[in-house]
Amino acid sequence: MSSFRAAAIQMRSGTDIARNVADLEKLVAEAAGKGAQYVQTPEMTGALVRDRQALFASLRDEANDPVFKAASALAKKHGIFVHIGSTAIAAGDGKIANRAAIFAPSGEKIATYDKVHMFDVDLDNGESWRESATYEPGRETVIADLPFARLGMAVCYDIRFPQLFRAQALNGANVITAPAAFTRQTGEAHWHVLQRARAIENGAFLISAAQGGVHEDGRETYGHSIIVSPWGKVLAEADHDEPGVIVADIDVSESAAARAKVPNLKNAREFSVRIAAAEKKEDA
């Protein structure tokens, strides 16, 4: 099978994990009702909590995490693949992983991915973020072999590092993903161009579920969950920051067709870098 219906869920996760799980259950059911066989949720599905002490107090390991438990049950209940874009997981030794996971229709967890690139930035609107102060970065990219696609996993800020997606494409990924909690400022400036660029340059479908709106902890995220074709066409988009579901039918053979038209993956060459410096004139 090379065709499937994909859904991206847009959420506005707050600080109450139980309430977020309830929202997750409702939105996954809506996506399944629209015929989705693969459903993706945003980064930090479980909770958006800026307070470090409150975040640490809410943490559970994988086996006891309420979001992963709910995802497993939902996958089995609806007979679909559920991709948790990420949630905070206790990783041992006082560390936290920003971890994504994919659950099969059997309820089995078949893949996990820890966000590699940490969002450590100072924005010109006064926002300052230091993910590396809280989260332990991942060390590997992950590709999940699904019955209908070879799917590359990533999270949010990873979208700005094209080498990660290129490595996935060179290893056969025909669908790439970047579930996110983009800030409104960076989203308004860069979200669409980054999503379309990663799809085009890798000849792959791209699916990115997003957080949207003003959250309880004070942050504001951009929303605009999106599904893009290998040719860069936007197949579906939530043109707002409200919670909801978008769906698109995906034929992965279009990935091979796009790569045949523009074979940049095959045409890439190794090269070195040389810096040519202009001569400095001596002072007279």
Side-chain angles (χ1 to χ4, degrees):
M1 180 172 62
S2 64
S3 299
F4 68 103
R5 179 164 290 184
I9 285 176
Q10 189 153 290
M11 298 181 67
R12 187 175 294 159
S13 296
T15 58
D16 186 328
I17 296 176
R19 188 168 69 244
N20 297 331
V21 167
D23 291 341
L24 168 68
E25 292 170 342
K26 176 183 175 182
L27 290 165
V28 168
E30 181 180 341
K34 293 181 177 181
Q37 297 149 285
Y38 162 89
V39 179
Q40 182 192 116
T41 75
E43 181 183 27
M44 286 297 142
T45 291
L48 279 169
V49 183
R50 189 176 297 195
D51 184 274
R52 280 170 55 86
Q53 187 174 353
L55 176 62
F56 273 92
S58 70
L59 288 179
R60 301 292 183 271
D61 60 17
E62 268 196 24
N64 297 293
D65 179 73
V67 175
F68 279 13
K69 283 185 174 182
S72 174
L74 288 165
K76 190 171 184 178
K77 176 181 179 180
H78 297 291
I80 60 175
F81 287 86
V82 175
H83 179 174
I84 297 299
S86 85
T87 198
I89 295 291
D93 298 324
K95 297 177 181 178
I96 306 176
N98 187 347
R99 183 165 296 168
I102 298 177
F103 296 84
S106 65
E108 176 190 5
K109 183 175 79 254
I110 59 173
T112 61
Y113 164 76
D114 290 353
K115 184 178 181 180
V116 169
H117 298 99
M118 299 287 99
F119 190 52
D120 290 355
V121 299
D122 297 305
L123 300 176
D124 56 16
N125 67 351
E127 290 183 70
S128 182
W129 301 94
R130 291 292 180 274
E131 282 190 338
S132 64
T134 302
Y135 297 98
E136 181 73 9
R139 296 285 185 267
E140 63 181 6
T141 189
V142 176
I143 298 171
D145 265 330
L146 306 182
F148 39 72
R150 177 167 278 193
L151 184 141
M153 301 175 73
V155 176
C156 198
Y157 191 47
D158 286 331
I159 197 73
R160 294 184 182 273
F161 299 86
Q163 65 272 25
L164 185 150
F165 301 93
R166 178 54 52 90
Q168 293 177 348
L170 290 173
N171 281 277
N174 44 33
V175 177
I176 55 179
T177 64
F182 249 61
T183 67
R184 178 166 297 280
Q185 183 186 21
T186 57
E188 288 175 345
H190 301 147
W191 175 257
H192 292 90
V193 68
L194 287 169
Q195 305 295 320
R196 295 184 68 209
R198 295 297 87 84
I200 293 167
E201 67 197 11
N202 292 295
F205 288 91
L206 184 142
I207 305 169
S208 294
Q211 296 280 357
V214 179
H215 300 262
E216 287 177 322
D217 72 347
R219 80 184 77 193
E220 188 173 4
T221 55
Y222 183 58
H224 289 262
S225 298
I226 197 167
I227 302 175
V228 184
S229 81
W231 205 244
K233 179 181 179 181
V234 176
L235 301 178
E237 179 185 357
D239 192 21
H240 51 72
D241 62 10
E242 294 295 323
V245 175
I246 61 170
V247 298
D249 291 320
I250 290 177
D251 181 349
V252 296
S253 67
E254 292 181 28
S255 173
R259 290 171 180 176
K261 290 178 182 177
V262 184
N264 59 309
L265 296 178
K266 292 181 178 179
N267 293 161
R269 297 175 62 87
E270 296 292 331
F271 56 87
S272 59
V273 177
R274 177 170 61 89
I275 299 175
E279 291 185 12
K280 294 182 179 180
K281 294 182 177 181
E282 298 293 334
D283 293 337

